[in-house]
Each structure stands twice: as C-alpha cells, then as structure tokens.
C-alpha cells in the first residue's frame, strides 16, 4: 500500500510562510475561511464562537470541562478562534507562521489576556507541560510532511499533565487532487500520543471537508 505521506510534495516552512503572507495580503479572511469571498468582521469572529461551541460540545462527550489558565491557539490566523477561546481561558497565546496574518489579528483583536506571536518553526517557544489547552483548527492540513508530525510532537510536548489537546487533521486523501491538503495518518497521531503519554478521549469526523478528516481530543496523563 502506498504511503499516504507520498500523496503530497514537501513544502518548506519558508514557502509556507510566503504563501500565507501573500494570502493574508490579498484577502486574509477568505484565506482563513474560503466559504465567503468577502467577510464582514462581525460574522467572521462570530463564526469562531460558533465553531468553538461545537468543538467544546464534542469534547464534553468525553466528560471534560474546558476553561482554565493558559491556552495556545496554534495557527491562529486572524485570531478568529483565539478570541473565542479567551472567553474560557485567562491567557490565550495565538501563534502563526505569517506575520501578515498576525499584523491583522493584532489590529482586529485587542482583548486583555490575548497575545499574538510570530513562530516560524519548531520547537515551539514554550516550556514542556506549560499549557492547559492546546487548540488548533484547519491548520495541520496545510503543513506538509515531515513538518506536520514535528509540530504535532510539539503540541503534545507543551501540554500540561491533565491538559487538553483539541485539533483536527486529515487522515486520508481520496487521491491527490492538487488542493494542497496534507495528510497526517491517524496511526502516526495515535503513536505519538502514546509516546507522550496522552490518552485519546474522543475522535470524530471533522465536519464539512471532502477528505477523511478527524478531530481529536487528547488528555495528558
Ligand atoms: C486556514 S487558516 C486557519 C486560522 C485559524 N485557525 C482559524 O480557524 O481561524 C490556517 C493558518 O495556519 C497558519 N499556518 C500555516 N502553517 C503554519 C505553521 N507552520 N506554523 C504556524 N502557523 C501556520 C497560516 O498562516 C494560517 O493563518
């Protein structure tokens, strides 16, 4: 059987950064959420609150409660999810590879407790086991192997004991259709979780995508 990682060509992190900077400059909100060509700010940030409510509802199936001190939003873009997360966590750090996205996020989101940091590679600039919630949505799908699994290792590493990691990634492709969606095989995710003593609490098909895309919830033991 072909290795699913071979379905897509590798992109360097510098190429990814340049791509996202270009996308942010031309139409940032559409680059984040392509279902509308033009977004008004209220609807765009309201979509973040709606998504988070759905994602936290999924997590509650596993009988966990969200809320706490420190959260990380990996691949925060314009801060759509960062601001929603800040209603539950005292401090939320959004990180992104694109400084153009971050410039726009800082202008749009000025709530206390939120900060935006430019991070262009791994390891992530956080102590091990220092974050209560590590969150990421519609980000890993855009990061080519081998970088996607390296970032995932980092998301597990920075998670506190008892902390929650909630993210999504496509686990299989129905063929390389040229959309630039990169695969992170489910077995690779589960094996890394095992290595880093993180327990899978819940798994579901992530809605509204054409690949086999999962949303995962882990807790560090
Ligand atoms: C589709 S947007 C999603 C933004 C945000 N998560 C949301 O749902 O509103 C993907 C974001 O991931 C960021 N990104 C892509 N590769 C990254 C990387 N290697 N490290 C950090 N951020 C990255 C992009 O710059 C972009 O802002």
């Amino acid at each position: 059987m072909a290795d699913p990682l071979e379905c897509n060509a590798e992109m360097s992190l510098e190429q990814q950064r340049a791509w996202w900077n270009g996308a942010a400059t031309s139409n940032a909100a559409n680059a984040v959420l392509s279902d509308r060509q033009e977004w008004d700010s209220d609807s765009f940030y309201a979509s973040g609150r709606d998504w988070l409510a759905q994602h936290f509802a999924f997590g509650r199936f596993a009988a966990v409660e969200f809320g706490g001190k420190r959260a990380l939003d990996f691949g925060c873009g314009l801060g759509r999810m960062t601001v929603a997360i800040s209603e539950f966590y005292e401090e939320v750090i959004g990180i992104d590879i694109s400084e153009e996205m971050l410039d726009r996020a800082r202008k749009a989101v000025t709530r206390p407790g939120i900060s935006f940091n430019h991070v262009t590679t791994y390891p992530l600039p956080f102590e091990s086991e220092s974050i209560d919630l590590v969150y990421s949505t519609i980000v890993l799908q855009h990061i080519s192997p081998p970088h996607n699994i390296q970032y995932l290792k980092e998301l597990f590493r920075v998670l506190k004991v008892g902390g929650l990691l909630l993210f999504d990634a496509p686990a299989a492709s129905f063929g390389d259709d040229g959309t630039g969606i990169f695969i992170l095989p489910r077995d690779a995710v589960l094996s890394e979780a095992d290595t880093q003593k993180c327990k899978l609490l819940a798994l579901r098909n992530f809605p509204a995508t054409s690949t086999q895309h999962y949303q995962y919830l882990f807790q560090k033991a």
Side-chain angles (χ1 to χ4, degrees), residues 142-177:
H142 297 296
I143 303 179
S144 74
H147 309 297
N148 51 7
I149 189 76
Q150 296 303 327
Y151 278 112
L152 182 69
K153 285 174 193 273
E154 285 293 289
L155 300 184
F156 282 123
R157 178 185 67 79
V158 301
L159 191 62
K160 267 188 190 166
V161 172
L164 299 168
L165 168 59
L166 180 59
F167 72 99
D168 54 85
S173 152
F174 303 125
D176 185 2
D177 59 2

Side-chain angles (χ1 to χ4, degrees), residues 14-202:
E14 197 43 54
Q15 285 172 312
Q16 293 173 35
R17 176 184 177 186
W19 193 91
W20 283 103
N21 275 340
T25 307
S26 68
N27 186 342
N30 170 260
V32 169
L33 273 191
S34 57
D35 34 344
R36 285 197 203 171
Q37 184 59 27
E38 296 298 333
W39 281 95
D40 66 89
S41 175
D42 286 351
S43 315
F44 182 76
Y45 287 96
S47 78
R49 289 193 297 275
D50 290 348
W51 281 40
L52 197 72
Q54 290 170 30
H55 297 178
F56 279 7
F58 154 68
R60 287 191 196 101
F61 274 118
V64 294
E65 279 306 318
F66 293 93
K69 284 201 171 145
R70 197 171 189 223
L72 172 67
D73 182 12
F74 172 68
C76 62
L78 298 172
R80 184 177 71 101
M81 307 308 301
T82 325
V83 69
I85 295 167
S86 77
E87 289 175 17
F88 299 86
Y89 288 81
E90 288 169 27
E91 179 191 2
V92 193
I93 306 157
I95 63 174
D96 204 282
I97 200 168
S98 162
E99 60 270 37
E100 293 291 342
M101 283 286 179
L102 292 168
D103 280 352
R104 289 161 178 76
R106 290 189 190 102
K107 285 185 186 120
V109 175
T110 53
R111 190 180 285 194
I114 293 181
S115 60
F116 292 108
N117 295 328
H118 190 211
V119 176
T120 57
T121 189
Y122 42 85
L124 300 180
F126 304 105
E127 298 283 318
S128 298
E129 302 189 348
S130 60
I131 300 190
D132 297 292
L133 173 73
V134 177
Y135 177 88
S136 186
T137 193
I138 55 171
V139 175
L140 284 165
Q141 67 195 59
H142 297 296
I143 303 179
S144 74
H147 309 297
N148 51 7
I149 189 76
Q150 296 303 327
Y151 278 112
L152 182 69
K153 285 174 193 273
E154 285 293 289
L155 300 184
F156 282 123
R157 178 185 67 79
V158 301
L159 191 62
K160 267 188 190 166
V161 172
L164 299 168
L165 168 59
L166 180 59
F167 72 99
D168 54 85
S173 152
F174 303 125
D176 185 2
D177 59 2
T179 54
I181 295 295
F182 296 104
I183 300 308
L184 190 47
R186 189 176 69 171
D187 286 354
V189 173
L190 297 182
S191 155
E192 187 54 35
D194 212 36
T195 304
Q196 299 211 38
K197 298 190 171 30
C198 290
K199 184 178 170 207
L200 181 66
L201 298 182

